[in-house]
Amino acid sequence: MIVPVERGEFNSQETFLICVESVPTEKAFLTRAKVKPDHYAAELIRTLYDSLFHRSLDLRLDFLSYYQIEYRSFRRYARKRLLFPMSVANTAESQFLCGARMFQFRPSLNFIEGNFGRTFLEGLLDPRRTR
Amino acid sequence: MIATQASGQSGPKVHMNVVEALEKISKALGILATQTAIENRAGMYSKNVLAETLLLPVFQILVKAPDLKSLNDTSPTAPFLDLYSKEKKLGIQVTTETTAQKITDTVMGVIKGRPGRKQLVIFLLTTSKPHYKTATKKQWKRLCGKRIRFDPDRSIFAIDGLYASIKLAKEQEIRAIEDVISRSIVGERFIDVEKCLKTLSHRQLDYEKETGKYIPDVFVEKRETKNLARTFAHPALFLRRTLEALVRADNPLRNALLSKAGLPLLTFPPIPQTPQRSLDDTYAVASNLPNQFVELRDILKKYRELTFKDPPPFPVKPERLYYYKESIWPLECLGIFLGYRLDDLMRELSAVSSRILIITGKAGQGKTNLVCDFTENFLLKHGIPSAYISPRMLRSMATADLGDAIQRLLFDNRARSFQEAAELLSQHARLANKPFILIIDGINEHSRISNFAEKLEFVLESAMLYPHIKVLLTCRSEFFQQRFGKLIDGPLKKHVLLLESNDFRVEREFQDELVAGYFSFFKVESSHVSEVVREILKKDTLLLRFFCEAYGAKGKSQGYVQPYIPNIQREDIFEKYLDRKIGAASELWKAATGKTNDSDAKTELREVLVSCIKHMLDNNQYANVPVSAIPVTLSEPLEALLEEELILRRDLAENQSIFSSPDERLNFTFDEFRDFMISHYLVHRVYAKDPKEFERYIQTATPKESQVIEGVKRFLFYAARNGANTKFLEFYESQPWYTSVYSDEVFFVDPRLLTKTDSDKVLECLQSGGSSARSMVTNLAVRWSARVCPHLNLDLLLGFVAQCSDSQFDDIIRPSFRSSWESDDGASAKAFCKFLATSILPKRAPNRRLPEHPLYRLLVILMPVDATPDLNSDAFRLLREIFESNVTYVEDLLWQALDYKMSVHRPYVWRLLSCNQSELADDDPLVKRALAEKSTSTENAVLQQEVSRFLQRRCSNIARENT
């Protein structure tokens, strides 16, 4: 699931909340993308995988390790600490309660921009939806 | 034997002292034995605490090993030894387990551990030592051989054995041991540090809540200030977070770009692993790591400043020069994003190792709220030893020694000195593996600020001698450099991290929560506050504060019932606020002076304010009133007013010359409140005595202080219109000041005091157009209930719109409701549709007899606002939705709208009417109206098209004829 975090009046950086049941392996990710491991496309997908799951903040872990004592719930953490809009904070909490892993993703790769990019990314994250 | 020795040395008095000391030791060890016997080892009786606070110093004396120290978790023999003396090569294990297996494990562990330990002692935390079999003892001796000196009969002992050893010690040693034991958990002079600190912090938090300086749950963590404070206060935990962030920042994409551009690659220094660390280890990592990033940050700085004109900052491979030239912008981005990210993370590392954190900010920016929220939700919840105090509390200690005042506040005078308190806190912090945080909020609020600054510096220097003690200070920015500058220039500089918390705007959703938080705290009945008022309060936090204090039930008598508040009436709010604050200040003053007469106190406090305002008006200077302007006889009430900065605050004036030091001046805490006070003074003191003098003032008031004059004009307008002073209204109505603010301020007059004349004036203003007409439009639209606002309301606006022309619509109506991408003030067409859809429609279906009816009429008018060329807008979409389930009602609305003079909205009306599926007869009035419209609007192509669409869809006969 990809939840866009609305750009606020004073916040112009595009951010997405990436929710997955579990983090796929890099190999599975490449398979889902239907790219051959030694091709240029695989290079791009590997970079995307790294950006998503290694360079983005793992919100579940961040909350459990550092903020759970301070904020009573994930919703409060998402709202008060991350300043997510209320609707996104509510979605994040329900995802958290379902045990999902969540990443605060700030895209920096051109090929996942726009609607096409988002559909492509959704397919990689949850192949059942696009099958 | 010891007693005899003592008497032989120092006579009967000493003999008694030693006996007394032994009795006390015996009693304390008895308590220890009982407690351990019943296995009450939770909390303060945990083995580690006892080993550190009680047994370590006792063994240091008994075995004459001052270097005996506690082994931390990183030692390879930590599971087998608790205390170790390097000099004596002596290891001591403290254990509650008495089994032979445990002893065997310890012996084996020590032998296998680091070599060099020669002697092993096992202290059993039990009443007495159990009997071990001879075979077992032989086995232990065999295991130790000559490697470790360990005699099972003498090297294992329990509490009774410890007492026996103490009895054999010298007199001086017994006294020293008695001193240690008396201060330990089982001693009579024991101080429960945790309990003392918690009590103090809770007391201060309650006080801040009581005075309304801390409003729980409204703090918005917009900047990183709070996170740096977290890192500062819980370094062992948050260093891990920073190290993880550094690992994430090391993105390989960076080097892909640099490689393609033919530039040298950038490598991150190795980031240390992130296990649980001791405080000392944490500080060491945080101090060393930034040095390893210096080179990388310098390179990034060069990329950050890269321009198209300059030559490459580093040698570029010639064959890749073409790529470099095309990548200057991405390289600059790399320098900016990674560079600033590393700057932030280095700041976090510096927060870990800093000992003093100073948060500065302008007045009213929420420093106290930040500190209180931080204490309540972070420090206390994480069990971080901390004490939250204020200069007011320190002053109340009535001692010249600041250190002494602090220790008395913390431990109720049970520590002998600040040094002893600091030692205790340092030890407590080390055991908890969390530093002790002393918070002094608002250091600028001390009445003798220069003196206090010197003392504070001295106390901080003393505190820095004790490890694990950290201090968090808050101060108003303007005072900091002048009064406390030495903290960042002098010897404390290396310990200090200075953070300037800047003002920030909050987004609309947070404004809603802010208002809800204030309402809940001050017990404001939300259903008794109109939507109009809520919208105004969202935009003005100061007014929100005044409003809540004036109308909320908090601090008021039990029978208080909040009235319904349809409108913001500033004069009423400020009067109530003044009354409350004068009351609070008089309580403070009475407490300080011992005086009992309440009315005397209030009169004198008011006189201080009068003196201040008089000086402002006499000198035409509305800020920085010299303290000397207040008569000396009023100095005590002045101090009471300055105490909590409720009404007046102390400021520093600019230096008159480079040789003079800045002197202290007085200002009103809130500018709007000052304007209210000035207007009050003008009406009740100047006009009441001499109207001509009043007239002279308003004629000579110069626009130099335009902001103040605008504020005063506004409050004079309210004073004239409050219904209590008709004589003043008669006089003031003819003054130019009255008319100049009329269009903006008439909406803030109590609706019950408005008249038909006001309606006529507002209509006149709408007719004349321009910006004042536009501001009136939204003011009228939000006052949609004629029951609450009988005169100036939405009906009046709709009456005007019905008669207005297309050009008036474009000049006044459309811009007033247009949405802006920059901000949403709640009065745009979009916000209006949202309000209708979420707050009105779910409650009840539209009906012309309901008070909400005018809202639906407005919706029709709003259809052209923010519309796309295909006639789509928020209002159109909402009305179409309503139309589906309320056909007759909406058709009536649309039919009525066709009678309006303007034509801008008509295409939308006809398109909506064409959405209805029912067919109409040729002689239906609506069909006739459509045919008439078609024939008269030949120049308006869009309208023609929509009327034709209507006729085609709903009147098949005519459509056939047309075909």
Side-chain angles (χ1 to χ4, degrees), chain B residues 30-83:
Chain B
I31 294 170
L32 180 66
T34 318
Q35 291 293 342
T36 46
I38 58 170
E39 292 190 318
N40 183 9
R41 292 178 213 106
M44 289 305 286
Y45 274 92
S46 76
K47 193 200 85 175
N48 284 343
V49 174
L50 286 172
E52 286 265 337
T53 59
L54 174 66
L55 300 173
L56 174 66
V58 169
F59 285 132
Q60 276 175 342
I61 298 165
L62 271 183
V63 299
K64 297 176 184 61
D67 72 321
L68 189 74
K69 63 175 184 180
S70 173
L71 289 176
N72 59 36
D73 294 338
T74 54
S75 165
T77 49
F80 307 104
L81 285 182
D82 293 298
L83 312 171

Side-chain angles (χ1 to χ4, degrees), chain B residues 559-573:
Chain B
Y560 172 77
V561 179
Q562 182 195 316
Y564 182 77
I565 302 145
N567 214 338
I568 288 282
Q569 287 156 45
R570 284 181 164 80
E571 207 192 28
D572 187 44
I573 293 171

Side-chain angles (χ1 to χ4, degrees), chain B residues 521-533:
Chain B
F521 180 76
F522 286 101
K523 297 180 182 151
V524 175
E525 183 58 61
S526 179
S527 61
H528 287 197
V529 179
S530 75
E531 197 65 32
V532 179
V533 171

Side-chain angles (χ1 to χ4, degrees), chain A residues 75-89:
Chain A
R75 193 185 64 81
R76 277 179 69 82
Y77 157 74
R79 184 78 184 126
K80 298 254 172 193
R81 165 80 192 127
L82 305 171
L83 304 179
F84 281 176
M86 189 64 90
S87 57
V88 179

Side-chain angles (χ1 to χ4, degrees), chain B residues 7 21 36 90 156 190 263 346 353 535 558 578 742 749 852:
Chain B
S7 66
T36 46
L90 163 70
I156 305 173
F190 170 68
L263 286 160
M346 293 305 119
S353 49
E535 281 301 319
Q558 254 195 336
L578 176 66
Y742 182 86
V749 173
E852 300 94 63

Side-chain angles (χ1 to χ4, degrees), chain B residues 487-499:
Chain B
L487 296 181
I488 48 168
D489 296 333
L492 290 167
K493 187 181 172 183
K494 61 180 178 208
H495 298 299
V496 173
L497 175 65
L498 179 67
L499 298 177

